[in-house]
Amino acid sequence: MSLIIGLGVVLVLFILYMIFRIGNLVGLVKGKNEEEHAGNDLHGYLFMAFVVLGLAFFGWYSYAHFDSYTLPVASEHGELTDSLFWITMGITIVAFGVISIVMFWFTYRYRYNANRKATFYPDSHKLEIVWTVIPAIVLALLIFRGLRVWNDITSPASEEAEVVELIGQQFAWTARYPGVKDQQLGEINYKLIDAVNEFGLDLTDKNTFDDFKSLELHLPKGKEILLKIRAKDVLHSVFLPHFRVKMDAVPGMYTNFKFVATKSTEDMRAETGNPDFNYEMACTEICGKGHFSMRFLVVVHEPEDFEKWKAAQEPWLKQNPEYLAKVPSALREVAMIKSGIPIESTAGASATTQTVSISN
Amino acid sequence: MATVDIHKQADVHHHDDHDHEHGHGNFWTNYIFSQDHKVIAKQFLITGMFWALIGGTMSVLFRLQLGFPDADLGWLRPFLGEWITPQGKIDTEFYLALVTMHGTIMVFFVLTAGLSGTFSNFLIPLQVGARDMASGFMNMLSYWFFFLSGVIMFISIFLSTGPASGGWTVYPPLSALPQAMSGSGLGMTLWLVAMALFIVSSLLGGINYITTVINLRTKGMSFSRLPLTIWAFFFTAIIGLLSFPVLFAAALLLIFDRSFGTSFYLSDIYINGEALPNEGGSPILFQHLFWFLGHPEVYIVILPSLGITSEIIATNSRKPIFGYKAMVGSLLFITILSFVVWAHHMFVTGMNPFLGSIFTLLTLIIAVPSAVKIFNYVTTLWKGNIIFTSAMLFSIGLVSFFLSGGITGIFLGNSAVDIQLHDTYFVVAHFHLVMGAASFFGMLAGVYHWFPKMFGRMMDERLGKIHFWFSFVGVYLVFFPMHYIGIAGFPRRYYSWTNFETFNSFADLNMLVSVAAILTLSAQFIFIFNFFYSMFRGKQAPANPWKANSLEWTTPRNPGHGNWPGEIPTVYRWPYDYSKPGAKDDYIPQTVPYSETPESNLPHENDLIKLEMEDNNAIVVDKKH
């Protein structure tokens, strides 16, 4: 079978080659009679057709499929970056359209004509100044608007912001919340990471006791959110497309992104008319073979529902009570209270001397 | 007058007719270890074409996966072996290897070495009026370092663990840790070795280009009379000379981190159940070092093409290039700015946001000289008498790509807008148009235009035009739809998007892109056929087939080593006297003195006639010594 296909391809190539040769020979015979640059006009026409059809198709697709390539926006700063995006789009489309039409029109209008001579026009200071200054002014406006938005986005988060830690690793995300009791993320140290203690929680810090883990990113609507982002192994990048949020996850340092979600998951389901709509988070920094599969589900609640959700989560320490052994004995009771481990049950569960001494 | 002396000595060796030239050496010294800049240029060109085919084929392979995610690719197993999974799919890690090697090959081997190596080598001595490069030997070394680098990169493709796969930017820690992906093992080591050799090659070439342009210009060839090609090659070489060493440093530190346990880029890493001892390094340091080369690199790639295009558009519009000084000025301005915009690749990497503001400002400024260049090209076409040679078609194509790819840079350079677009297909569309397709078209335009001088024969113009239309429409069909996919947020370097509801669309556009990519690659075989066929069977070329002004067209049909059989011609004017009012032809070569063209001289040029006379006296005086 593949032999037949191969032979067919060879045959087609051979026929093409013969056509080329015959064309060449015919050209040689006729050559003397042909005028200079015969067939030149064709390319002028083709360029004109290209620009007209191309721009028409561009306009039609952009208009007809607008909803399929624009994601609804669900954050406060996203409205600003989107508007800047569309302002830039407006300006550049005008520039692109005008320059393209003018350029291809020139190629058509001034295509070779034996009876005409080109105009010797080597320079014009006036023109050069005009088209240096105009783009400079337009760009300055874009820069200033862009920098205002950028400064807003990157300014420090307020004290009341809801802090969530996002951790990237090959090839999954995890989230850590500071817990409802102390509202503080506890200390971590990458050397303490093991199969269970995947955050590397430093249990000598009492702020770790009520921290809880989540395999979905839950966020409140209408409240400032501060994402504290880190990576365990290689670079990753947090990308929340509907919130216009993107920030790399870097091993060895925290990166931050603050934003306010303006639409809950339910709001978005209503807006898009899709009852199965879900916000998602993706990885946008190449991180290995599973790069394309680092999906993280995002749920945006009404603020009160968010508080309820938080209150219902079990602290990590409660899920892994054997790690009480790593808590300094002086803090152990605090740890049990903050993480909600019933004091009697652990006494029975792990009969180490330390726990016994606490229950005494 | 030092240059005159050098040329006189050289003349002694080159008086004989060029046809006997090859009698001077054997096959090895003439074609393999040649020190003739023209032969070295052809070596770079053919090696570049070889790599372009490999890089292009790789892109079609991963486009198969993206455009036809359900197709059974089992038929590729005879070529790719285990990289095709038992289910007939491309292995996910091999997909990343393809993406990485495609980028590396295209950026460095094709559009840096293949482009600068070919045209800087070929054109600088011919257009400034020199017998050869300042150092023919270093020039030869430059090619052979590139060749060796290519051999090592080529070998890495065949490793069982695969070639480097962490993206062409090879960001650590992914590229530093073999346990992170198999391509970061031996494949990455070979990548670093190959790139180190490549940088050596690039520096040897660049030093030569700069020296030759400064020191070996013929009599009368002042800087203000240089063709724009030479200006572009000159600035390109300066950019390369200043930025490639930084990549070398980055690569060296990465080698230390990989092999000697240092922590320049590594810190706080827990991988494969093990906490690594490295602390205190920063992956962001690597990104700064990489992009300090990486961004100037895109200008290393595009400037030569802009130079080539300037020359071709002026020649085939039969008009002077509009705003010669503005063109040189914008090249200079772009050169300077290219060093201070690198961090716009890093707005969302965790770099200090204040730096983001600075780099937004500097980045958008670079749009101004770029816009000036486009306006000047368009104005050059205005009231021209345009001859659509294949080279001209590709040059117009370049301007179109440079425009449509360039304006999307205004989005990406603005840090606030970049947050959403960073690492999406919008970026892929942007840089493929503005530096990929545009410089590739410049390279093709250059081949069509200077082929007659390279091989003494004409390429087939009909095939060239068919090649152009397929490529031009093909490239737009490949990269234009990617803007939509990017605005919709699709991340790049994804093997598939079906894991996400958000990105579970555009199967149609992705299929279109893949089909267009296959067609575009296929069209390049028309070129390859044309190239090799015309080399042996093409029509014999006249010495100056395009009626162009610059010096290379004053050489014989097959210039030998030394370029001009007699004395090197003297230059009296700039290279863009096309369609000068009063002149009988629509072009006046640079070698024609003003004293011979009183009918077309501009007032200030008549004043130069006296200077010409004085210069001639100077030569006479010189010869007495």
Side-chain angles (χ1 to χ4, degrees):
Chain A
M1 183 60 196
S2 53
L3 187 73
I4 295 172
I5 295 175
L7 282 176
V9 170
V10 169
L11 192 66
V12 168
L13 289 178
F14 182 72
I15 291 170
L16 285 177
Y17 177 72
M18 287 315 288
I19 292 173
F20 168 74
R21 287 292 294 157
I22 292 166
N24 260 2
L25 291 174
V26 173
L28 273 182
V29 175
K30 287 204 314 193
K32 300 282 183 285
N33 310 329
E34 273 187 39
E35 55 180 313
E36 215 182 359
H37 310 306
N40 198 62
D41 286 354
L42 173 69
H43 301 284
Y45 299 137
L46 283 175
F47 272 131
M48 227 27 228
F50 176 81
V51 72
V52 170
L53 290 176
L55 286 177
F57 201 75
F58 168 44
W60 167 76
Y61 192 92
S62 303
Y63 180 77
H65 292 261
F66 186 78
D67 290 334
S68 67
Y69 63 85
T70 47
L71 290 176
V73 56
S75 67
E76 277 180 5
H77 78 274
E79 306 273 356
L80 296 176
T81 55
D82 272 21
S83 90
L84 186 58
F85 175 86
W86 289 113
I87 290 170
T88 314
M89 185 65 90
I91 292 170
T92 50
I93 281 187
V94 170
F96 171 67
V98 169
I99 298 171
S100 295
I101 291 170
V102 168
M103 182 174 83
F104 288 118
W105 164 251
F106 285 174
T107 60
Y108 166 79
R109 171 70 182 76
Y110 300 109
R111 63 193 190 276
Y112 178 78
N113 178 342
N115 303 321
R116 204 159 47 81
K117 198 171 177 185
T119 306
F120 187 82
Y121 185 50
D123 55 12
S124 154
H125 286 293
K126 212 194 282 172
L127 275 178
E128 298 283 4
I129 288 169
V130 166
W131 61 48
T132 306
V133 170
I134 291 177
I137 292 172
V138 174
L139 287 167
L141 295 175
L142 288 175
I143 291 170
F144 289 127
R145 201 180 157 100
L147 289 185
R148 274 224 312 277
V149 176
W150 174 252
N151 287 338
D152 282 351
I153 294 172
T154 56
S155 62
S158 67
E159 291 288 312
E160 299 83 50
E162 193 70 41
V163 177
V164 186
E165 185 189 48
L166 281 170
I167 301 106
Q169 69 184 80
Q170 289 181 327
F171 298 98
W173 296 101
T174 39
R176 179 167 68 118
Y177 287 78
V180 284
K181 296 228 168 66
D182 58 23
Q183 311 276 3
Q184 297 283 327
L185 282 171
E187 292 290 315
I188 45 126
N189 181 343
Y190 83 104
K191 290 191 171 158
L192 298 173
I193 299 177
D194 59 39
V196 180
N197 186 4
E198 54 189 302
F199 296 117
L201 291 178
D202 179 356
L203 291 163
T204 60
D205 176 18
K206 59 182 190 309
N207 287 333
T208 58
F209 300 153
D210 64 342
D211 291 2
F212 65 85
K213 168 186 161 181
S214 173
L215 290 176
E216 293 169 352
L217 180 60
H218 288 256
L219 301 170
K221 171 179 147 185
K223 188 176 177 200
E224 190 170 73
I225 298 154
L226 174 62
L227 299 178
K228 301 192 64 159
I229 303 161
R230 67 182 165 110
K232 277 196 219 169
D233 37 34
V234 300
L235 295 174
H236 300 274
S237 187
V238 167
F239 179 33
L240 295 160
H242 294 93
F243 304 100
R244 313 301 192 245
V245 167
K246 192 174 285 140
M247 183 51 72
D248 279 9
V250 184
M253 64 184 269
Y254 272 113
T255 56
N256 300 308
F257 204 105
K258 69 148 211 290
F259 69 104
V260 179
T262 52
K263 294 171 190 167
S264 71
T265 302
E266 289 303 326
D267 293 344
M268 208 55 150
R269 285 177 181 166
E271 182 183 320
T272 58
N274 173 9
D276 301 321
F277 174 87
N278 274 312
Y279 289 118
E280 291 176 309
M281 183 172 118
C283 179
T284 46
E285 186 63 68
I286 181 172
C287 61
K289 63 181 170 197
H291 173 49
F292 67 103
S293 62
M294 287 181 64
R295 176 178 184 264
F296 202 53
L297 186 72
V298 181
V299 183
V300 179
H301 302 275
E302 296 296 332
E304 51 274 26
D305 294 339
F306 177 69
E307 294 303 324
K308 271 186 224 154
W309 174 83
K310 270 205 304 187
Q313 303 306 305
E314 275 195 339
W316 180 86
L317 194 56
K318 186 174 180 191
Q319 292 175 331
N320 303 288
E322 66 275 18
Y323 276 79
L324 264 181
K326 305 241 172 171
V327 178
S329 44
L331 289 173
R332 207 154 289 157
E333 194 164 352
V334 184
M336 294 171 86
I337 294 167
K338 276 181 87 172
S339 63
I341 302 175
I343 290 179
E344 313 80 59
S345 71
T346 43
S350 63
T352 58
T353 49
Q354 287 94 337
T355 44
V356 171
S357 68
I358 280 180
S359 35
N360 288 342
Chain B
M1 283 299 112
T3 50
V4 174
D5 279 336
I6 288 169
H7 296 158
K8 274 169 66 187
Q9 286 169 3
D11 283 351
V12 178
H13 301 287
H14 294 284
H15 269 310
D16 38 5
D17 193 282
H18 65 90
D19 279 340
H20 304 293
E21 187 61 34
H22 294 305
H24 282 316
N26 58 32
F27 174 80
W28 288 96
T29 54
N30 281 340
Y31 296 105
I32 309 298
F33 295 106
S34 171
Q35 298 188 19
D36 182 349
H37 70 101
K38 298 185 293 301
V39 177
I40 295 172
K42 292 174 205 170
Q43 291 174 325
F44 269 108
L45 176 59
I46 290 172
T47 318
M49 283 165 59
F50 167 79
W51 279 111
L53 267 188
I54 294 190
T57 308
M58 285 175 161
S59 71
V60 163
L61 285 178
F62 62 71
R63 274 319 312 184
L64 281 179
Q65 161 61 28
L66 295 174
F68 308 97
D70 302 320
D72 182 357
L73 300 180
W75 55 276
L76 283 169
R77 204 169 284 122
F79 310 102
L80 299 175
E82 296 295 306
W83 293 121
I84 301 292
T85 64
Q87 292 79 38
K89 300 266 168 268
I90 288 177
D91 178 79
T92 53
E93 203 154 312
F94 184 59
Y95 171 85
L96 294 179
L98 286 173
V99 172
T100 304
M101 294 317 282
H102 168 73
T104 306
I105 288 169
M106 289 306 199
V107 171
F108 293 112
F109 288 10
V110 179
L111 295 177
T112 302
L115 180 59
S116 276
T118 303
F119 291 104
S120 296
N121 262 317
F122 192 74
L123 291 179
I124 288 177
L126 282 173
Q127 289 195 333
V128 304
R131 295 287 179 202
D132 202 325
M133 283 288 174
S135 166
F137 180 71
M138 263 169 69
N139 205 23
M140 177 186 83
L141 277 188
S142 163
Y143 175 75
W144 287 103
F145 270 104
F146 167 56
F147 185 82
L148 189 60
S149 157
V151 168
I152 292 172
M153 198 63 93
F154 192 68
I155 289 172
S156 84
I157 300 172
F158 297 94
L159 297 175
S160 65
T161 49
S165 321
W168 79 280
T169 55
V170 297
Y171 282 179
L174 185 62
S175 62
L177 305 173
Q179 55 273 54
M181 72 191 316
S182 62
S184 296
L186 186 55
M188 189 62 212
T189 305
L190 293 187
W191 191 97
L192 288 166
V193 173
M195 283 314 297
L197 291 171
F198 183 88
I199 293 165
V200 172
S201 153
S202 206
L203 295 181
L204 286 170
I207 291 168
N208 243 329
Y209 305 153
I210 295 170
T211 316
T212 309
V213 172
I214 293 178
N215 286 331
L216 297 186
R217 282 167 291 123
T218 186
K219 194 165 148 41
M221 183 61 91
S222 61
F223 267 89
S224 59
R225 286 174 179 168
L226 285 177
L228 285 169
T229 35
I230 301 303
W231 275 110
F233 299 148
F234 181 60
F235 286 131
T236 305
I238 291 174
I239 298 176
L241 200 63
L242 295 179
S243 63
F244 264 116
V246 180
L247 179 68
F248 192 79
L252 205 61
L253 299 190
L254 185 52
I255 290 172
F256 287 160
D257 271 9
R258 287 167 52 82
S259 307
F260 305 111
T262 56
S263 303
F264 292 107
Y265 308 131
L266 305 179
S267 186
D268 295 25
I269 291 167
Y270 179 88
I271 190 164
N272 281 2
E274 180 195 12
L276 303 184
N278 311 69
E279 281 184 273
S282 167
I284 294 182
L285 170 64
F286 179 86
Q287 297 174 19
H288 279 297
L289 293 174
F290 181 86
W291 287 114
F292 192 87
L293 159 88
H295 196 78
E297 171 66 25
V298 309
Y299 293 100
I300 292 175
V301 162
I302 191 67
L303 289 190
S305 282
L306 293 176
I308 287 169
T309 310
S310 307
E311 190 66 24
I312 294 173
I313 287 186
T315 305
N316 291 296
S317 300
R318 312 310 294 165
K319 268 188 70 185
I321 190 82
F322 181 78
Y324 175 87
K325 281 184 188 148
M327 289 300 243
V328 175
S330 57
L331 283 175
L332 173 66
F333 202 39
I334 289 174
T335 300
I336 295 168
L337 282 175
S338 76
F339 286 102
V340 290
V341 298
W342 78 87
H344 66 226
H345 298 267
M346 301 167 58
F347 287 140
V348 294
T349 56
M351 177 181 77
N352 186 318
F354 176 69
L355 275 181
S357 311
I358 301 296
F359 280 97
T360 295
L361 185 70
L362 292 166
T363 300
L364 292 198
I365 292 176
I366 214 167
V368 175
S370 310
V372 167
K373 291 199 82 72
I374 290 179
F375 293 137
N376 284 359
Y377 285 132
V378 174
T379 314
T380 305
L381 295 173
W382 179 68
K383 290 199 172 178
N385 206 12
I386 301 169
I387 302 162
F388 295 111
T389 62
S390 304
M392 182 64 169
L393 291 174
F394 276 98
S395 300
I396 294 169
L398 177 149
V399 178
S400 177
F401 293 155
F402 191 65
L403 169 67
S404 43
I407 53 167
T408 48
I410 296 171
F411 295 78
L412 296 165
N414 210 335
S415 51
V417 180
D418 184 61
I419 295 171
Q420 177 73 1
L421 297 174
H422 180 79
D423 266 342
T424 65
Y425 265 74
F426 196 83
V427 180
V428 178
H430 160 70
F431 72 77
H432 274 98
L433 280 175
V434 78
M435 67 166 276
S439 17
F440 198 72
F441 266 42
M443 188 170 163
L444 290 170
V447 174
Y448 280 110
H449 194 74
W450 280 287
F451 190 89
K453 200 45 68 187
M454 285 181 177
F455 299 102
R457 291 175 184 275
M458 306 296 286
M459 286 182 85
D460 188 89
E461 279 289 314
R462 271 174 315 151
L463 287 184
K465 285 162 186 170
I466 295 171
H467 173 215
F468 167 75
W469 282 104
F470 273 101
S471 304
F472 183 60
V473 176
V475 164
Y476 264 122
L477 283 178
V478 171
F479 298 114
F480 211 84
M482 286 189 187
H483 292 101
Y484 298 106
I485 301 175
I487 293 169
F490 283 47
R492 62 194 283 215
R493 293 165 176 158
Y494 263 36
Y495 176 77
S496 102
W497 293 283
T498 45
N499 288 309
F500 294 84
E501 293 158 37
T502 315
F503 308 131
N504 207 353
S505 58
F506 284 132
D508 50 350
L509 280 194
N510 268 315
M511 200 185 293
L512 170 70
V513 168
S514 295
V515 171
I518 294 168
L519 279 178
T520 312
L521 178 69
S522 310
Q524 307 317 306
F525 287 95
I526 301 174
F527 170 76
I528 289 173
F529 168 76
N530 195 353
F531 184 86
F532 288 105
Y533 178 85
S534 305
M535 200 188 284
F536 301 105
R537 306 286 297 272
K539 261 192 298 193
Q540 289 220 353
N544 186 0
W546 317 118
K547 300 199 170 103
N549 289 342
S550 43
L551 268 189
E552 74 272 28
W553 305 109
T554 62
T555 61
R557 186 172 82 91
N558 270 318
H561 195 177
N563 296 340
W564 285 269
E567 243 182 280
I568 299 180
T570 304
V571 165
Y572 295 97
R573 60 177 75 226
W574 77 328
Y576 297 109
D577 270 347
Y578 290 107
S579 301
K580 214 171 181 190
K584 61 179 189 302
D585 287 326
D586 65 354
Y587 69 112
I588 310 174
Q590 285 189 279
T591 48
V592 177
Y594 288 121
S595 55
E596 290 177 16
T597 57
E599 68 281 2
S600 66
N601 287 350
L602 302 171
H604 74 276
E605 288 168 346
N606 281 323
D607 303 339
L608 293 173
I609 293 177
K610 233 178 110 191
L611 283 173
E612 278 172 4
M613 308 303 273
E614 285 167 14
D615 281 357
N616 285 334
N617 290 338
I619 290 177
V620 173
V621 171
D622 207 66
K623 276 184 176 167
K624 281 179 187 163
H625 290 294

